[in-house]
mmCIF file with all atom_site columns, all heavy atoms in Angstrom:
data_model
loop_
_atom_site.group_PDB
_atom_site.id
_atom_site.type_symbol
_atom_site.label_atom_id
_atom_site.label_alt_id
_atom_site.label_comp_id
_atom_site.label_asym_id
_atom_site.label_entity_id
_atom_site.label_seq_id
_atom_site.pdbx_PDB_ins_code
_atom_site.Cartn_x
_atom_site.Cartn_y
_atom_site.Cartn_z
_atom_site.occupancy
_atom_site.B_iso_or_equiv
_atom_site.pdbx_formal_charge
_atom_site.auth_seq_id
_atom_site.auth_comp_id
_atom_site.auth_asym_id
_atom_site.auth_atom_id
_atom_site.pdbx_PDB_model_num
ATOM 1   N N   . GLN C 1 29 ? 86.420 76.267 35.715 1.00 0.00 ? 29 GLN C N   1
ATOM 2   C CA  . GLN C 1 29 ? 86.360 76.202 34.252 1.00 0.00 ? 29 GLN C CA  1
ATOM 3   C C   . GLN C 1 29 ? 85.968 74.799 33.781 1.00 0.00 ? 29 GLN C C   1
ATOM 4   O O   . GLN C 1 29 ? 85.215 74.652 32.821 1.00 0.00 ? 29 GLN C O   1
ATOM 5   C CB  . GLN C 1 29 ? 87.701 76.611 33.657 1.00 0.00 ? 29 GLN C CB  1
ATOM 6   C CG  . GLN C 1 29 ? 88.066 78.051 33.947 1.00 0.00 ? 29 GLN C CG  1
ATOM 7   C CD  . GLN C 1 29 ? 89.467 78.393 33.493 1.00 0.00 ? 29 GLN C CD  1
ATOM 8   O OE1 . GLN C 1 29 ? 90.061 77.691 32.702 1.00 0.00 ? 29 GLN C OE1 1
ATOM 9   N NE2 . GLN C 1 29 ? 89.989 79.493 34.019 1.00 0.00 ? 29 GLN C NE2 1
ATOM 10  N N   . GLN C 1 30 ? 86.471 73.776 34.469 1.00 0.00 ? 30 GLN C N   1
ATOM 11  C CA  . GLN C 1 30 ? 86.106 72.408 34.110 1.00 0.00 ? 30 GLN C CA  1
ATOM 12  C C   . GLN C 1 30 ? 84.621 72.148 34.350 1.00 0.00 ? 30 GLN C C   1
ATOM 13  O O   . GLN C 1 30 ? 83.967 71.490 33.538 1.00 0.00 ? 30 GLN C O   1
ATOM 14  C CB  . GLN C 1 30 ? 86.931 71.398 34.914 1.00 0.00 ? 30 GLN C CB  1
ATOM 15  C CG  . GLN C 1 30 ? 88.345 71.240 34.443 1.00 0.00 ? 30 GLN C CG  1
ATOM 16  C CD  . GLN C 1 30 ? 89.088 70.228 35.277 1.00 0.00 ? 30 GLN C CD  1
ATOM 17  O OE1 . GLN C 1 30 ? 88.949 70.205 36.494 1.00 0.00 ? 30 GLN C OE1 1
ATOM 18  N NE2 . GLN C 1 30 ? 89.870 69.394 34.627 1.00 0.00 ? 30 GLN C NE2 1
ATOM 19  N N   . VAL C 1 31 ? 84.111 72.646 35.443 1.00 0.00 ? 31 VAL C N   1
ATOM 20  C CA  . VAL C 1 31 ? 82.692 72.437 35.741 1.00 0.00 ? 31 VAL C CA  1
ATOM 21  C C   . VAL C 1 31 ? 81.830 73.108 34.681 1.00 0.00 ? 31 VAL C C   1
ATOM 22  O O   . VAL C 1 31 ? 80.817 72.545 34.243 1.00 0.00 ? 31 VAL C O   1
ATOM 23  C CB  . VAL C 1 31 ? 82.349 72.946 37.159 1.00 0.00 ? 31 VAL C CB  1
ATOM 24  C CG1 . VAL C 1 31 ? 80.850 72.963 37.385 1.00 0.00 ? 31 VAL C CG1 1
ATOM 25  C CG2 . VAL C 1 31 ? 83.032 72.083 38.211 1.00 0.00 ? 31 VAL C CG2 1
ATOM 26  N N   . SER C 1 32 ? 82.229 74.296 34.224 1.00 0.00 ? 32 SER C N   1
ATOM 27  C CA  . SER C 1 32 ? 81.434 74.961 33.198 1.00 0.00 ? 32 SER C CA  1
ATOM 28  C C   . SER C 1 32 ? 81.538 74.254 31.849 1.00 0.00 ? 32 SER C C   1
ATOM 29  O O   . SER C 1 32 ? 80.587 74.254 31.074 1.00 0.00 ? 32 SER C O   1
ATOM 30  C CB  . SER C 1 32 ? 81.850 76.430 33.068 1.00 0.00 ? 32 SER C CB  1
ATOM 31  O OG  . SER C 1 32 ? 83.161 76.528 32.573 1.00 0.00 ? 32 SER C OG  1
ATOM 32  N N   . LEU C 1 33 ? 82.689 73.628 31.561 1.00 0.00 ? 33 LEU C N   1
ATOM 33  C CA  . LEU C 1 33 ? 82.851 72.924 30.283 1.00 0.00 ? 33 LEU C CA  1
ATOM 34  C C   . LEU C 1 33 ? 82.334 71.485 30.334 1.00 0.00 ? 33 LEU C C   1
ATOM 35  O O   . LEU C 1 33 ? 81.664 71.035 29.398 1.00 0.00 ? 33 LEU C O   1
ATOM 36  C CB  . LEU C 1 33 ? 84.324 72.909 29.871 1.00 0.00 ? 33 LEU C CB  1
ATOM 37  C CG  . LEU C 1 33 ? 84.941 74.235 29.448 1.00 0.00 ? 33 LEU C CG  1
ATOM 38  C CD1 . LEU C 1 33 ? 86.435 74.090 29.227 1.00 0.00 ? 33 LEU C CD1 1
ATOM 39  C CD2 . LEU C 1 33 ? 84.275 74.737 28.183 1.00 0.00 ? 33 LEU C CD2 1
ATOM 40  N N   . LEU C 1 34 ? 82.675 70.746 31.397 1.00 0.00 ? 34 LEU C N   1
ATOM 41  C CA  . LEU C 1 34 ? 82.363 69.320 31.465 1.00 0.00 ? 34 LEU C CA  1
ATOM 42  C C   . LEU C 1 34 ? 81.158 68.996 32.330 1.00 0.00 ? 34 LEU C C   1
ATOM 43  O O   . LEU C 1 34 ? 80.658 67.864 32.289 1.00 0.00 ? 34 LEU C O   1
ATOM 44  C CB  . LEU C 1 34 ? 83.582 68.551 32.016 1.00 0.00 ? 34 LEU C CB  1
ATOM 45  C CG  . LEU C 1 34 ? 84.899 68.709 31.280 1.00 0.00 ? 34 LEU C CG  1
ATOM 46  C CD1 . LEU C 1 34 ? 86.019 68.015 32.033 1.00 0.00 ? 34 LEU C CD1 1
ATOM 47  C CD2 . LEU C 1 34 ? 84.795 68.186 29.863 1.00 0.00 ? 34 LEU C CD2 1
ATOM 48  N N   . GLY C 1 35 ? 80.725 69.944 33.138 1.00 0.00 ? 35 GLY C N   1
ATOM 49  C CA  . GLY C 1 35 ? 79.660 69.676 34.096 1.00 0.00 ? 35 GLY C CA  1
ATOM 50  C C   . GLY C 1 35 ? 80.236 68.995 35.329 1.00 0.00 ? 35 GLY C C   1
ATOM 51  O O   . GLY C 1 35 ? 81.414 68.623 35.377 1.00 0.00 ? 35 GLY C O   1
ATOM 52  N N   . LEU C 1 36 ? 79.407 68.818 36.344 1.00 0.00 ? 36 LEU C N   1
ATOM 53  C CA  . LEU C 1 36 ? 79.872 68.195 37.580 1.00 0.00 ? 36 LEU C CA  1
ATOM 54  C C   . LEU C 1 36 ? 80.298 66.742 37.369 1.00 0.00 ? 36 LEU C C   1
ATOM 55  O O   . LEU C 1 36 ? 81.329 66.302 37.881 1.00 0.00 ? 36 LEU C O   1
ATOM 56  C CB  . LEU C 1 36 ? 78.795 68.278 38.653 1.00 0.00 ? 36 LEU C CB  1
ATOM 57  C CG  . LEU C 1 36 ? 78.529 69.667 39.228 1.00 0.00 ? 36 LEU C CG  1
ATOM 58  C CD1 . LEU C 1 36 ? 77.344 69.623 40.178 1.00 0.00 ? 36 LEU C CD1 1
ATOM 59  C CD2 . LEU C 1 36 ? 79.755 70.190 39.925 1.00 0.00 ? 36 LEU C CD2 1
ATOM 60  N N   . ASP C 1 37 ? 79.481 66.005 36.602 1.00 0.00 ? 37 ASP C N   1
ATOM 61  C CA  . ASP C 1 37 ? 79.800 64.594 36.381 1.00 0.00 ? 37 ASP C CA  1
ATOM 62  C C   . ASP C 1 37 ? 81.088 64.427 35.583 1.00 0.00 ? 37 ASP C C   1
ATOM 63  O O   . ASP C 1 37 ? 81.918 63.562 35.893 1.00 0.00 ? 37 ASP C O   1
ATOM 64  C CB  . ASP C 1 37 ? 78.655 63.893 35.654 1.00 0.00 ? 37 ASP C CB  1
ATOM 65  C CG  . ASP C 1 37 ? 77.405 63.812 36.496 1.00 0.00 ? 37 ASP C CG  1
ATOM 66  O OD1 . ASP C 1 37 ? 77.522 63.917 37.743 1.00 0.00 ? 37 ASP C OD1 1
ATOM 67  O OD2 . ASP C 1 37 ? 76.314 63.646 35.915 1.00 0.00 ? 37 ASP C OD2 1
ATOM 68  N N   . GLY C 1 38 ? 81.273 65.231 34.564 1.00 0.00 ? 38 GLY C N   1
ATOM 69  C CA  . GLY C 1 38 ? 82.488 65.149 33.745 1.00 0.00 ? 38 GLY C CA  1
ATOM 70  C C   . GLY C 1 38 ? 83.732 65.515 34.528 1.00 0.00 ? 38 GLY C C   1
ATOM 71  O O   . GLY C 1 38 ? 84.785 64.882 34.370 1.00 0.00 ? 38 GLY C O   1
ATOM 72  N N   . THR C 1 39 ? 83.640 66.519 35.386 1.00 0.00 ? 39 THR C N   1
ATOM 73  C CA  . THR C 1 39 ? 84.777 66.911 36.221 1.00 0.00 ? 39 THR C CA  1
ATOM 74  C C   . THR C 1 39 ? 85.123 65.800 37.194 1.00 0.00 ? 39 THR C C   1
ATOM 75  O O   . THR C 1 39 ? 86.299 65.452 37.372 1.00 0.00 ? 39 THR C O   1
ATOM 76  C CB  . THR C 1 39 ? 84.455 68.216 36.976 1.00 0.00 ? 39 THR C CB  1
ATOM 77  O OG1 . THR C 1 39 ? 84.143 69.226 36.022 1.00 0.00 ? 39 THR C OG1 1
ATOM 78  C CG2 . THR C 1 39 ? 85.629 68.665 37.810 1.00 0.00 ? 39 THR C CG2 1
ATOM 79  N N   . PHE C 1 40 ? 84.111 65.213 37.820 1.00 0.00 ? 40 PHE C N   1
ATOM 80  C CA  . PHE C 1 40 ? 84.344 64.101 38.743 1.00 0.00 ? 40 PHE C CA  1
ATOM 81  C C   . PHE C 1 40 ? 84.985 62.928 38.007 1.00 0.00 ? 40 PHE C C   1
ATOM 82  O O   . PHE C 1 40 ? 85.952 62.321 38.498 1.00 0.00 ? 40 PHE C O   1
ATOM 83  C CB  . PHE C 1 40 ? 83.030 63.664 39.392 1.00 0.00 ? 40 PHE C CB  1
ATOM 84  C CG  . PHE C 1 40 ? 83.193 62.505 40.324 1.00 0.00 ? 40 PHE C CG  1
ATOM 85  C CD1 . PHE C 1 40 ? 83.651 62.697 41.613 1.00 0.00 ? 40 PHE C CD1 1
ATOM 86  C CD2 . PHE C 1 40 ? 82.907 61.221 39.891 1.00 0.00 ? 40 PHE C CD2 1
ATOM 87  C CE1 . PHE C 1 40 ? 83.810 61.618 42.474 1.00 0.00 ? 40 PHE C CE1 1
ATOM 88  C CE2 . PHE C 1 40 ? 83.072 60.140 40.742 1.00 0.00 ? 40 PHE C CE2 1
ATOM 89  C CZ  . PHE C 1 40 ? 83.519 60.340 42.033 1.00 0.00 ? 40 PHE C CZ  1
ATOM 90  N N   . PHE C 1 41 ? 84.484 62.598 36.832 1.00 0.00 ? 41 PHE C N   1
ATOM 91  C CA  . PHE C 1 41 ? 85.029 61.495 36.051 1.00 0.00 ? 41 PHE C CA  1
ATOM 92  C C   . PHE C 1 41 ? 86.475 61.764 35.648 1.00 0.00 ? 41 PHE C C   1
ATOM 93  O O   . PHE C 1 41 ? 87.319 60.867 35.696 1.00 0.00 ? 41 PHE C O   1
ATOM 94  C CB  . PHE C 1 41 ? 84.167 61.248 34.808 1.00 0.00 ? 41 PHE C CB  1
ATOM 95  C CG  . PHE C 1 41 ? 84.629 60.096 33.972 1.00 0.00 ? 41 PHE C CG  1
ATOM 96  C CD1 . PHE C 1 41 ? 84.433 58.799 34.402 1.00 0.00 ? 41 PHE C CD1 1
ATOM 97  C CD2 . PHE C 1 41 ? 85.260 60.318 32.759 1.00 0.00 ? 41 PHE C CD2 1
ATOM 98  C CE1 . PHE C 1 41 ? 84.862 57.722 33.632 1.00 0.00 ? 41 PHE C CE1 1
ATOM 99  C CE2 . PHE C 1 41 ? 85.699 59.250 31.992 1.00 0.00 ? 41 PHE C CE2 1
ATOM 100 C CZ  . PHE C 1 41 ? 85.497 57.953 32.423 1.00 0.00 ? 41 PHE C CZ  1
ATOM 101 N N   . PHE C 1 42 ? 86.795 62.990 35.264 1.00 0.00 ? 42 PHE C N   1
ATOM 102 C CA  . PHE C 1 42 ? 88.162 63.364 34.888 1.00 0.00 ? 42 PHE C CA  1
ATOM 103 C C   . PHE C 1 42 ? 89.129 63.094 36.041 1.00 0.00 ? 42 PHE C C   1
ATOM 104 O O   . PHE C 1 42 ? 90.178 62.467 35.857 1.00 0.00 ? 42 PHE C O   1
ATOM 105 C CB  . PHE C 1 42 ? 88.206 64.844 34.484 1.00 0.00 ? 42 PHE C CB  1
ATOM 106 C CG  . PHE C 1 42 ? 89.596 65.361 34.268 1.00 0.00 ? 42 PHE C CG  1
ATOM 107 C CD1 . PHE C 1 42 ? 90.284 65.082 33.096 1.00 0.00 ? 42 PHE C CD1 1
ATOM 108 C CD2 . PHE C 1 42 ? 90.224 66.118 35.240 1.00 0.00 ? 42 PHE C CD2 1
ATOM 109 C CE1 . PHE C 1 42 ? 91.580 65.550 32.899 1.00 0.00 ? 42 PHE C CE1 1
ATOM 110 C CE2 . PHE C 1 42 ? 91.514 66.599 35.051 1.00 0.00 ? 42 PHE C CE2 1
ATOM 111 C CZ  . PHE C 1 42 ? 92.192 66.313 33.887 1.00 0.00 ? 42 PHE C CZ  1
ATOM 112 N N   . TYR C 1 43 ? 88.786 63.547 37.243 1.00 0.00 ? 43 TYR C N   1
ATOM 113 C CA  . TYR C 1 43 ? 89.670 63.351 38.390 1.00 0.00 ? 43 TYR C CA  1
ATOM 114 C C   . TYR C 1 43 ? 89.694 61.890 38.853 1.00 0.00 ? 43 TYR C C   1
ATOM 115 O O   . TYR C 1 43 ? 90.720 61.423 39.356 1.00 0.00 ? 43 TYR C O   1
ATOM 116 C CB  . TYR C 1 43 ? 89.310 64.304 39.525 1.00 0.00 ? 43 TYR C CB  1
ATOM 117 C CG  . TYR C 1 43 ? 89.741 65.711 39.200 1.00 0.00 ? 43 TYR C CG  1
ATOM 118 C CD1 . TYR C 1 43 ? 88.808 66.685 38.889 1.00 0.00 ? 43 TYR C CD1 1
ATOM 119 C CD2 . TYR C 1 43 ? 91.080 66.050 39.168 1.00 0.00 ? 43 TYR C CD2 1
ATOM 120 C CE1 . TYR C 1 43 ? 89.208 67.966 38.573 1.00 0.00 ? 43 TYR C CE1 1
ATOM 121 C CE2 . TYR C 1 43 ? 91.487 67.340 38.844 1.00 0.00 ? 43 TYR C CE2 1
ATOM 122 C CZ  . TYR C 1 43 ? 90.539 68.288 38.548 1.00 0.00 ? 43 TYR C CZ  1
ATOM 123 O OH  . TYR C 1 43 ? 90.932 69.555 38.219 1.00 0.00 ? 43 TYR C OH  1
#
Side-chain angles (χ1 to χ4, degrees):
Q29 296 173 17
Q30 284 180 318
V31 170
S32 66
L33 290 173
L34 304 174
L36 289 174
D37 294 339
T39 302
F40 179 81
F41 182 73
F42 172 78
Y43 287 108

